[in-house]
Amino acid sequence: MPRYLITIALFAHGVGHLFFLTNSWGIWKGGDEGRSWLFSGILGPGQTVEGILGLLWLIPLVGFVAVSWGYLTHQGWWPQLALAPVVISLAMIVLWWGGLVVGSAFFALVFDLAVIAVVL
C-alpha cells in the first residue's frame, strides 16, 4: 500500500508542474501573484521570454511521471532519474518565485527536498 501512495505522490507532483507551466504562459494565475522576479525586472521582455523558458517545466513534469513508473515497477534506475527533475524543479521554482502561487511553490519545494533526502 505505501508503494502505491508514494507512486501517486510522485505522479501528482509531476503533473502539478503543469500548473506552473500554464502560469508561465499567462493562462492560469492562482491568485494575486504577479510575474517572476526574474522576468519582470531583470530580463525585461517579460511574458514572451517567460513563456518560452516556461517550456522547461515540461522536464520535471515528464521526469516525475517516469520516476513514478520506475518506482512502482521496482526499476533500479528510478533514484538516479529522480535527481534530474528534482534539481530542475528546484531551480525553476526559485527563478519563478513571485510569479507562482506561494503555497503551491512552497509545497513543491518541500516535496523536491524530500525526494532528494530519500534518494541520497
Side-chain angles (χ1 to χ4, degrees):
M1 183 65 162
R3 178 166 291 282
Y4 294 114
L5 294 175
I6 292 170
T7 299
I8 291 168
L10 289 166
F11 182 83
H13 180 64
V15 173
H17 286 85
L18 184 62
F19 291 117
F20 295 158
L21 173 66
T22 58
N23 186 293
S24 71
W25 288 349
I27 296 170
W28 177 76
K29 297 289 183 190
D32 294 333
E33 289 70 31
R35 303 284 306 285
S36 160
W37 63 271
L38 178 67
F39 300 108
S40 62
I42 296 172
L43 291 180
Q47 187 62 48
T48 302
V49 172
E50 187 174 356
I52 292 168
L53 292 177
L55 289 172
L56 293 174
W57 286 111
L58 292 172
I59 296 169
L61 189 157
V62 171
F64 274 108
V65 169
V67 166
S68 69
W69 177 255
Y71 178 78
L72 179 66
T73 59
H74 303 278
Q75 302 298 317
W77 48 259
W78 80 264
Q80 294 83 7
L81 179 62
L83 291 177
V86 163
V87 168
I88 293 169
S89 177
L90 287 171
M92 301 274 294
I93 289 169
V94 169
L95 292 176
W96 259 268
W97 199 268
L100 302 172
V101 176
V102 176
S104 297
F106 175 77
F107 286 112
L109 194 76
V110 169
F111 190 89
D112 287 337
L113 293 173
V115 171
I116 289 174
V118 166
V119 169
L120 297 180

